[in-house]
């Protein structure tokens, strides 16, 4: 069948697919484990073993500009939207986006940031996180209502990452709004309005971060921002552009996925009351539950990579150099070749082999912090909620890439 009339077996821009992609994944995974979309040109890799291997394959890269010019490497229509000069602010931000960098730039920046995410520094967040969670639950008791996203998950993740970096409390809700607008650029086929809004958000976010850097130079503090300003790589300090992009990425990555995972997990427990009782009784610990939540309904559905070399092959299918590859986290996490009865939500499973934190050199360095936040959140909720009662008014996040909820009302904790 020619590409012109090839069926569109998977369309991430379809709201129905975004709302519930897992049945589509199952069909694609079995019939077409490696499939090129005639709409986007992306080659989707859908099985766990193939995706796991691809994360670590050096023939794939999150960028190509360290080896090729755009003109010699790829068709202009295949470039990401932020490479368009109409979105110059976003393009400048992406130049030093650690998630989109390849070695040696990625190696140098990641080494600096990793120093702030040591086991000791992560564990130091346990007490402040627990205090915040308990305070938010007490407030919900007094109100008699509880939105899991707005009242707990967002304040928790945003507070922890902003405290680590050094963002003043009055600015944090604006950071949240800007973050949502920025990450909308990464959705499949964003509209022109979405891209313009994302570019404007980057512009404002960049200005804000530059002002924060200037303030820290006057008044250093015990935070990650001061550490990045003072840091050197092979004797050279980071440029302001490098610090700005790094701080923005950490602020966005530090709460977007954690909030979505928390909401997806609560929604899953609402649909599986027996699993909630297993958590409450101690039959399965919160650590195990967190891993199953991340596997069963991951907060990020896929990542893109470029094929940098000839000869890259998956399942006997050669994917040409210059192609974009979609590493399908959500599909891989439900692969029956890896997990028994993968569509079942079973918190005792506790599999850490899921791909929700990526892999290879880009494995999420904030994974230990996200796991801690989620463990504390579900432990606290299990103490005060006899059941997860999902109430009317739940709203899924629009789009496909970032899977979570805008609102998730649940029954409020009882007044003790």
């Amino acid at each position: 069948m020619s590409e012109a009339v090839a069926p569109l077996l998977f369309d991430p821009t379809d709201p129905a697919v975004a709302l519930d992609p897992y049945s589509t994944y199952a069909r694609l995974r079995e019939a077409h484990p490696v499939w090129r979309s005639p709409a986007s040109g992306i080659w989707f890799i859908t099985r766990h073993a193939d995706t796991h291997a691809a994360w670590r394959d050096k023939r794939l890269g999150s960028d190509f500009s360290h080896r090729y010019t755009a003109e010699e490497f790829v068709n202009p229509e295949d470039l990401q939207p932020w490479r368009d000069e109409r979105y110059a602010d976003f393009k400048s931000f992406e130049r030093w986006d650690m998630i989109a960098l390849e070695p040696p730039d990625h190696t140098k920046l990641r080494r600096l940031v990793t120093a702030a995410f040591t086991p000791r520094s992560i564990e130091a967040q346990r007490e402040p996180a627990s205090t915040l969670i308990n305070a938010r639950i007490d407030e919900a008791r007094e109100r008699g209502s509880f939105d899991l996203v707005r009242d707990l998950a967002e304040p928790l993740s945003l507070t922890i990452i902003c405290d680590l970096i050094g963002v003043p409390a009055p600015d944090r809700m604006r950071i949240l709004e800007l973050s949502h607008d920025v990450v909308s650029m990464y959705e499949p086929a964003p509209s022109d309005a979405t891209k313009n809004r994302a570019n404007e958000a980057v512009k404002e976010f960049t200005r804000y971060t530059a002002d924060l850097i200037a303030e820290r130079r006057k008044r250093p503090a015990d935070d990650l921002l001061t550490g990045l300003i003072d840091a050197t790589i092979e004797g050279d300090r980071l440029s302001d552009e490098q610090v700005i992009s790094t701080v923005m990425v950490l602020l966005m990555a530090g709460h977007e996925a954690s909030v979505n995972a928390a909401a997806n997990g609560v929604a899953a427990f609402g649909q599986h009351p027996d699993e909630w009782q297993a958590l409450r009784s101690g039959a399965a610990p919160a650590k195990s539950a967190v891993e199953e939540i991340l596997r069963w309904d991951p907060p990020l559905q896929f990542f893109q990579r470029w094929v940098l070399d000839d000869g890259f092959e998956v399942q006997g299918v050669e994917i040409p150099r210059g192609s974009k590859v979609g590493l399908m986290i959500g599909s891989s996490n439900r692969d029956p070749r890896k997990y028994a009865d993968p569509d079942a939500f079973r918190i005792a499973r506790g599999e850490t082999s899921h791909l929700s934190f990526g892999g290879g050199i880009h494995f999420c360095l904030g994974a230990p912090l996200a796991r801690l936040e989620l463990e504390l959140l579900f432990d606290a909720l299990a103490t005060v909620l006899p059941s997860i009662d999902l109430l009317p008014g739940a709203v899924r996040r629009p789009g496909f890439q970032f899977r979570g909820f805008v609102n998730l009302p649940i029954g409020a904790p009882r007044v003790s």
Side-chain angles (χ1 to χ4, degrees):
M1 183 178 293
S2 70
E3 183 174 291
V5 295
L8 187 58
L9 303 176
F10 167 64
D11 181 7
T13 68
D14 182 343
V17 172
L19 187 63
D20 181 14
Y22 296 106
S23 58
T24 303
Y25 290 160
R27 291 191 296 270
L28 198 62
R29 194 171 51 236
E30 298 311 309
H32 303 279
V34 183
W35 174 75
R36 184 179 187 273
S37 168
S40 67
I42 296 173
W43 292 82
F44 289 101
I45 298 176
T46 61
R47 292 181 180 174
H48 187 283
D50 297 330
T51 302
H52 182 270
W55 281 119
R56 293 156 178 78
D57 197 313
K58 293 183 179 179
R59 292 171 296 179
L60 299 182
S62 55
D63 189 27
F64 59 81
S65 59
H66 60 301
R67 290 182 53 183
Y68 307 100
T69 66
E71 291 75 17
E72 67 181 342
F73 183 70
V74 67
N75 292 325
E77 60 268 21
D78 290 333
L79 292 171
Q80 297 103 331
W82 54 86
R83 296 179 189 268
D84 190 321
E85 291 300 333
R86 290 178 297 171
Y87 313 111
D89 297 283
F90 211 105
K91 184 177 182 179
S92 296
F93 154 66
E94 274 288 321
R95 170 62 186 91
W96 293 108
D97 173 0
M98 188 166 56
I99 297 173
L101 289 177
E102 289 295 303
D105 291 333
H106 173 269
T107 307
K108 295 175 181 178
L109 272 178
R110 187 178 175 101
R111 187 182 303 134
L112 288 179
V113 178
T114 300
F117 288 87
T118 62
R120 178 179 296 180
S121 66
I122 299 302
E123 185 60 29
Q125 302 306 314
R126 181 178 295 273
E127 184 175 344
S130 293
T131 299
L132 187 151
I133 291 168
N134 291 330
R136 287 287 175 158
I137 288 174
D138 288 343
E139 292 171 9
R141 280 194 176 106
E142 295 174 6
R143 285 194 313 270
S145 63
F146 196 40
D147 185 317
L148 187 282
V149 175
R150 300 299 175 90
D151 296 334
L152 182 54
E154 281 182 350
L156 171 62
S157 292
L158 195 62
T159 297
I160 295 300
I161 193 62
C162 285
D163 280 349
L164 278 171
I165 291 173
V167 175
D171 302 337
R172 294 175 182 180
M173 290 311 297
R174 184 55 184 151
I175 292 297
L176 181 66
E177 294 167 357
L178 291 172
S179 175
H180 288 334
D181 283 343
V182 171
V183 301
S184 65
M185 182 72 94
Y186 302 115
E187 288 289 344
S191 67
D192 286 345
T194 295
K195 290 184 282 191
N196 285 324
R197 186 170 62 250
N199 192 67
E200 287 302 309
V202 163
K203 184 186 299 185
E204 182 177 340
F205 210 154
T206 299
R207 276 198 305 263
Y208 173 82
T209 308
D211 290 344
L212 200 58
I213 291 170
E215 174 64 24
R216 277 298 179 280
R217 287 204 170 103
K218 296 175 186 175
R219 283 175 280 277
D222 183 18
D223 55 35
L224 177 56
L225 179 57
T226 301
L228 288 173
I229 293 169
D230 292 340
T232 59
I233 301 177
E234 299 174 358
D236 296 324
R237 292 191 183 279
L238 295 177
S239 67
D240 280 7
E241 290 77 14
Q242 289 172 316
V243 176
I244 287 170
S245 288
T246 302
V247 167
M248 288 170 61
V249 168
L250 290 174
L251 283 170
M252 290 184 286
H255 74 83
E256 290 280 354
S258 295
V259 172
N260 290 341
N264 291 345
V266 168
F269 278 121
Q271 299 163 27
H272 300 85
D274 289 347
E275 296 301 300
W276 184 245
Q277 296 311 314
L279 178 62
R280 295 194 75 232
S281 69
K287 282 186 177 180
S288 176
V290 166
E291 301 305 330
E292 181 68 349
I293 289 163
L294 290 166
R295 182 199 72 83
W296 193 73
D297 198 10
L300 290 162
Q301 289 293 301
F302 86 119
F303 273 99
Q304 287 188 28
R305 291 292 184 265
W306 293 98
V307 179
L308 301 178
D309 295 296
D310 293 325
F312 178 68
E313 185 177 293
V314 180
Q315 293 284 332
V317 177
E318 184 168 346
I319 303 178
R321 188 190 70 150
S323 300
K324 285 189 292 187
V325 170
L327 304 181
M328 302 304 290
I329 297 169
S331 175
S332 299
N333 282 357
R334 300 267 190 120
D335 188 348
R337 294 158 192 79
K338 181 66 178 178
Y339 305 105
D341 198 6
D343 291 324
F345 179 67
R346 297 174 180 165
I347 64 170
R349 193 192 309 255
E351 279 275 3
T352 60
S353 60
H354 61 77
L355 303 180
S356 298
F357 289 122
I361 64 171
H362 289 284
F363 183 83
C364 177
L365 60 84
L369 182 60
R371 284 181 161 122
L372 176 67
E373 291 176 11
L374 293 168
E375 178 189 347
L376 294 173
L377 183 148
F378 283 102
D379 261 338
L381 289 178
T383 300
V384 299
L385 290 176
S387 61
I388 297 291
D389 300 319
L390 303 176
L391 303 178
V395 177
R396 275 278 181 191
R397 285 186 66 158
F400 168 79
Q401 167 71 322
F402 297 90
R403 183 166 171 79
F405 287 82
V406 177
N407 299 99
L408 186 62
I410 62 174
R414 294 175 181 175
V415 177
S416 57

